[in-house]
Amino acid sequence: MIKSVMPLLKLVVVADEPALLFSSISSAEGYLEAVDVENGVYPIAYDPTGKIYRLTTNGDHVVVEADSDLPADPDALQKVLFKLMTSRGFTFAAFPTLEDLIVLAEQFVDDW
C-alpha cells in the first residue's frame, strides 16, 4: 500500500469533474456556489471513510453536513475516486484499494 505522511483529503464532493477534493468542510462551503448545489451539480459528498455528507444551502451559502441517517458507503467513494484518478491519466493493473486511491487523490486536493 502507498503511504501518506499527512492526510490532506477531508471531503470528496461528487460532481461532473467527476469530483472535487477539499482539505476541509469549510473550504468546500466557501468554494461551492449555492446555485450549483440547488441545481443538483453536487449531489453528495464523502469523507475518506465513506461517511456521507449532504450539501444544502442557506441563502447564498453552501452548508455541508454529515448525514447521520445513512450508513457510510466506502465502496461508492472508491468508485468515485477510481473514476477521478483514471480521468487524470492514472492506470492500474488491478482495482486499487480505497486507501491507495485516497493517497493518490491527495495530490489534487483543492486543485480545481
Side-chain angles (χ1 to χ4, degrees):
M1 177 192 333
I2 301 168
K3 298 281 183 188
S4 175
V5 175
M6 178 188 270
L8 300 173
L9 182 63
K10 301 295 183 207
L11 192 70
V12 176
V13 177
V14 176
D16 58 0
E17 279 88 6
L20 298 173
L21 309 174
F22 294 94
S23 60
S24 69
I25 289 174
S26 61
S27 66
E29 290 174 332
Y31 176 80
L32 301 173
E33 294 184 18
V35 66
D36 291 336
V37 171
E38 291 168 355
N39 288 331
V41 173
Y42 309 113
I44 195 167
Y46 301 94
D47 75 6
T49 68
K51 185 174 186 173
I52 296 172
Y53 286 73
R54 294 288 173 202
L55 290 82
T56 58
T57 59
N58 182 1
D60 289 339
H61 302 285
V62 172
V63 178
V64 179
E65 295 179 308
D67 190 329
S68 59
D69 293 334
L70 295 174
D73 193 349
D75 293 338
L77 173 59
Q78 184 178 17
K79 290 174 187 169
V80 168
L81 290 176
F82 180 78
K83 185 176 178 183
L84 175 63
M85 292 299 97
T86 56
S87 76
R88 296 274 182 144
F90 287 87
T91 58
F92 303 94
F95 198 76
T97 66
L98 175 57
E99 293 79 13
D100 286 343
L101 288 166
I102 288 170
V103 171
L104 288 173
E106 286 187 336
Q107 65 188 298
F108 301 107
V109 170
D110 294 336
D111 175 33
W112 307 289

